[in-house]
Amino acid sequence: GMHVFGLLISILTERLQMFLDRMRRGRSRVLCSRHVVILGWSDKIPMIVEELAEANVSEGGGMIAILVDGDKMKTEAELQAALDDSQSTYRERGLRGTKWVVRSGNPMLMKDLNLVSVSLAKSIIV
């Protein structure tokens, strides 16, 4: 009995660790629709995120999913730093209900495009 319980706990722990690792690497799927997908990364993306947030105010905010062909955590840190240091006229207002998420993948592969639910997006920015 105790061995079976121990085995079950170890299996659950391993599965949870795998799930958390996928989340950290940006390989989990974004579950939303009517969102904006941005494919790729450049220094213009923070400004685009601010502009989209301002445009979404009348709807109470929105969702932006960014698919980058690189490191998710580095991109998140870069985007957050750029938003924090922004000189935009929108800076004091914040993103006003708009949320953003970064996923890591190749925008040329359908399985990676599915990570950002591209087929359900209201618009795609390349």
Side-chain angles (χ1 to χ4, degrees):
M2 197 60 136
H3 293 295
V4 173
F5 181 71
L7 179 63
L8 181 61
I9 292 298
S10 68
I11 290 171
L12 287 173
T13 302
E14 182 182 345
R15 290 291 177 150
L16 180 60
Q17 191 63 41
M18 287 171 49
F19 172 76
L20 291 174
D21 188 49
R22 282 183 52 217
M23 292 289 287
R24 247 189 310 282
R25 289 183 296 132
R27 299 300 298 167
S28 61
R29 187 167 185 195
V30 175
L31 301 175
C32 61
S33 60
R34 308 264 322 128
H35 59 296
V36 175
V37 170
I38 299 175
L39 300 177
W41 177 258
S42 79
D43 60 344
K44 303 289 187 232
I45 300 299
M47 181 183 66
I48 292 170
V49 168
E50 288 179 321
E51 297 270 342
L52 289 169
E54 189 63 22
N56 286 330
V57 168
S58 64
E59 298 174 19
M63 180 68 171
I64 302 168
I66 306 167
L67 182 65
V68 296
D69 195 6
D71 185 72
K72 169 195 182 280
M73 294 176 75
K74 179 179 171 264
T75 303
E76 286 176 335
E78 199 174 323
L79 177 56
Q80 190 59 59
L83 292 172
D84 291 344
D85 293 341
S86 173
Q87 300 302 310
S88 166
T89 56
Y90 306 129
R91 184 180 190 281
E92 287 76 36
R93 299 185 214 166
L95 297 182
R96 298 170 74 186
T98 293
K99 308 267 186 254
W100 55 268
V101 64
V102 176
R103 290 294 179 261
S104 177
N106 183 342
M108 302 299 252
L109 300 176
M110 196 62 206
K111 71 176 179 61
D112 289 350
L113 289 171
N114 286 334
L115 291 175
V116 291
S117 299
V118 74
S119 62
L120 302 174
K122 69 178 173 183
S123 57
I124 302 168
I125 298 172
V126 180

